[in-house]
Amino acid sequence: MSFDSLTYLAFLPVVALVCRLLPQKVRPVWLLLASVVFYASWNVPLTLLLAAVIAVTYAAGIGLRYVRKQGQRRMLLGLSLLLCLGALVYFKYFGFLAGLAARLWEAIGGNGKWRLWDIVLPVGISFYTFQALSYVFDVYRGRLDAERNPIHYALYISFFPQLVAGPIERAGDLLPQLRTARSATTEDVRFGLKLLLSGYFKKIVLADFCGRFVERVYGAPSPDGSAVLIGTLLFAMQIYGDFAGYSEIARGSAALVGVRLMQNFDRPYLAGNLRDFWRRWHISLSRWLTDYVYIPLGGSQNGLGRQIMATLTVFLLSGLWHGANETFIVWGLLHGLGVVTVLLYAKAKLPWPKGRAGNRLGILLTFAYVTLLWIFFRAQSLSQAVQLFGSLFSAWNVPAGWTLLDMTWEDAARLVLSLCALPLCHGLTERKQPPIVYAFWLLTIAWAWSIRLAEHAANAFIYFQF
């Protein structure tokens, strides 16, 4: 049941309406039931894995509440880590690690081929395991009191708006709202509907439209450099519209049942440097890695060398979190090296243009670096990524590139209009607009959605694979 399906458009109003009509004490049960149905619509058997993560981390939290001996507390923490990370490694990384081992075996002259089997990746596993671990870590550190109500805790892990692709919420922020289970106010409903409009515009009108041209470029055996440049710029728009759109739909859906989720994107392509970019892009993951990896490794408090090591470790893990592929590892490390470069530049107090010129130069360089690295993120293999980079710096055959894109002038006009309308999404959610403005956005989304349905196009959210 994807957010951009007609089934979800029927599911959400029913959940919100019944939630509003139910007594306050019953609402968490209803929301938990709705969340189970939502997740089971993807894969019923894998719902048992989600239930196992909930049961083990809930029990660990209760145990940490009463156990005082440090050895026993570490054992409870270790069991939670073993289940959550073990499940993540098995379902997400086993095939990758087995493939590396098989290649190594062949390289050293081993006989026979290894037989590898396909493993179904549970949707959302990277998100709900990290959310469960953050709860256990916070209880272990004494920053959070363990949740005793199993319904409230199960709902915290499985809350359907953010279960599949985040944001990764902290228990200290989300659990109190789920315990209270207040009814959505008129302002909540207005805010939620605005977020839904903005999110669906970014997904249906912008991301899905860009995606059709990105697929043509990255699916071609040897695309021209001009097509690679345009395709990569379009992918930068696609992945932003896709993931930021998902996050806004999640926040809007939650607001309709009286819950406020954290903001996960804050105009990341306007960042003045890479450090600023990661404060604006996938904010919940950046904060998670900062609090549970960067700071425990020493952060910025134990010298420059330790800070650089912690930074590179965080970005290596960020790359691995996104996928079991060498391309994601390189993508993460190159981002880490970029952040380290920004850090060293600031430490050296080297000159930089002041005022608007400096700000614009920073935004331009950051956007260019981030966009070029999207090639690693989108490419299927390192060899393809290298080939695509090579085409950028070779002689271009622009007519061949345009032919590959197969973009009509009407397509180009639609793309330009969509990009021009993108900044207006922020005004849509931040300021009160006349009713005709909301009607325009709704009609635009409905028009784009009807085209997609007529074409029978399947456009799953990109981050579902993570």
Side-chain angles (χ1 to χ4, degrees):
M1 192 191 303
S2 178
F3 279 176
D4 59 341
S5 68
L6 296 178
T7 306
Y8 185 78
L9 288 185
F11 172 81
L12 179 60
V14 171
V15 172
L17 179 61
V18 173
C19 188
R20 188 177 183 85
L21 296 176
L22 286 174
Q24 185 176 9
K25 291 184 178 180
V26 185
R27 286 176 194 153
V29 178
W30 168 248
L31 289 176
L32 179 59
L33 176 62
S35 299
V36 172
V37 171
F38 176 81
Y39 194 77
S41 69
W42 298 96
N43 189 309
V44 174
L46 289 177
T47 307
L48 297 175
L49 176 63
L50 174 63
V53 170
I54 291 172
V56 170
T57 52
Y58 170 76
I62 295 296
L64 289 169
R65 176 185 176 90
Y66 296 105
V67 172
R68 292 292 177 263
K69 292 183 178 181
Q70 193 60 25
Q72 295 176 341
R73 291 175 62 82
R74 287 177 179 172
M75 183 182 71
L76 289 171
L77 177 64
L79 288 174
S80 299
L81 284 169
L82 181 63
L83 173 68
C84 292
L85 295 183
L88 195 58
V89 168
Y90 174 75
F91 283 100
K92 190 168 183 176
Y93 302 106
F94 179 82
F96 172 66
L97 295 174
L100 288 178
R103 290 201 294 271
L104 178 61
W105 175 252
E106 292 176 5
I108 62 175
N111 296 322
K113 289 186 175 292
W114 288 25
R115 182 180 178 183
L116 304 178
W117 59 89
D118 294 328
I119 298 174
V120 176
L121 179 65
V123 65
I125 187 172
S126 296
F127 291 91
Y128 68 71
T129 51
F130 268 38
Q131 188 154 308
L133 284 175
S134 71
Y135 166 81
V136 177
F137 284 143
D138 287 347
V139 174
Y140 177 80
R141 294 173 175 178
R143 296 178 178 178
L144 182 74
D145 194 16
E147 174 58 52
R148 286 178 288 181
N149 188 315
I151 299 295
H152 293 161
Y153 180 73
L155 180 57
Y156 160 67
I157 300 297
S158 64
F159 186 47
F160 73 89
Q162 47 87 220
L163 170 62
V164 174
I168 305 170
E169 287 285 342
R170 302 295 177 82
D173 297 325
L174 184 54
L175 264 172
Q177 297 186 70
L178 300 178
R179 291 192 201 105
T180 305
R182 66 178 180 84
S183 177
T185 64
T186 303
E187 180 56 33
D188 287 328
V189 174
R190 287 175 181 167
F191 181 67
L193 292 176
K194 290 177 182 180
L195 283 171
L196 288 172
L197 281 177
S198 178
Y200 278 118
F201 177 86
K202 289 175 180 174
K203 168 60 178 172
I204 304 295
V205 179
L206 179 63
D208 288 352
F209 185 66
C210 290
R212 67 171 66 179
F213 303 106
V214 173
E215 183 61 35
R216 292 170 189 170
V217 174
Y218 280 80
S222 54
D224 180 72
S226 60
V228 172
L229 177 61
I230 296 173
T232 304
L233 286 169
L234 290 177
F235 180 68
M237 295 300 106
Q238 180 193 5
I239 194 169
Y240 169 70
D242 193 278
F243 196 20
Y246 180 95
S247 296
E248 289 188 346
I249 297 170
R251 294 175 65 209
S253 300
L256 294 183
V257 294
V259 176
R260 294 295 181 106
L261 299 179
M262 69 175 290
Q263 184 178 3
N264 210 20
F265 287 84
D266 183 16
R267 309 177 198 189
Y269 290 144
L270 296 181
N273 58 61
L274 275 180
R275 297 178 75 184
D276 187 28
F277 174 81
W278 283 103
R279 296 187 191 104
R280 296 164 172 258
W281 179 278
H282 204 344
I283 298 170
S284 61
L285 177 63
S286 296
R287 290 182 180 174
W288 197 100
L289 291 171
T290 297
D291 290 348
Y292 302 112
V293 179
Y294 180 75
I295 292 176
L297 287 176
S300 59
Q301 305 301 316
N302 293 278
L304 182 60
R306 180 66 69 86
Q307 186 176 5
I308 291 174
M309 184 274 292
T311 299
L312 293 177
T313 301
V314 161
F315 280 97
L316 172 62
L317 292 176
S318 176
L320 280 171
W321 181 90
H322 281 87
N325 195 314
E326 296 93 336
T327 54
F328 292 113
I329 296 174
V330 172
W331 174 79
L333 286 175
L334 288 175
H335 265 284
L337 290 172
V339 170
V340 168
T341 301
V342 171
L343 172 65
L344 294 177
Y345 194 97
K347 292 279 186 183
K349 298 182 180 179
L350 296 174
W352 186 263
K354 296 182 179 180
R356 289 185 177 180
N359 292 335
R360 290 172 179 172
L361 179 61
I363 292 172
L364 178 62
L365 291 176
T366 302
F367 178 74
Y369 189 79
V370 169
T371 300
L372 284 175
L373 293 192
W374 284 132
I375 293 177
F376 286 100
F377 196 97
R378 181 59 177 79
Q380 297 300 313
S381 64
L382 277 180
S383 59
Q384 186 192 23
V386 171
Q387 177 196 8
L388 294 171
F389 265 104
S391 68
L392 287 175
F393 300 99
S394 60
W396 288 3
N397 184 346
V398 176
W402 192 258
T403 300
L404 174 61
L405 283 168
D406 193 23
M407 182 184 291
T408 66
W409 291 109
E410 290 81 2
D411 290 333
R414 177 181 169 185
L415 177 62
V416 170
L417 289 174
S418 299
L419 292 174
C420 290
L422 185 59
L424 300 178
C425 288
H426 301 291
L428 184 69
T429 56
E430 294 172 0
R431 294 184 295 273
K432 189 175 181 179
Q433 304 285 349
I436 192 171
V437 173
Y438 300 117
F440 168 77
W441 286 92
L442 182 60
L443 289 172
T444 302
I445 295 166
W447 167 72
W449 207 327
S450 65
I451 292 176
R452 198 179 77 168
L453 289 174
E455 295 175 348
H456 302 286
N459 295 279
F461 286 91
I462 294 173
Y463 269 69
F464 282 0
Q465 62 185 296
F466 307 135

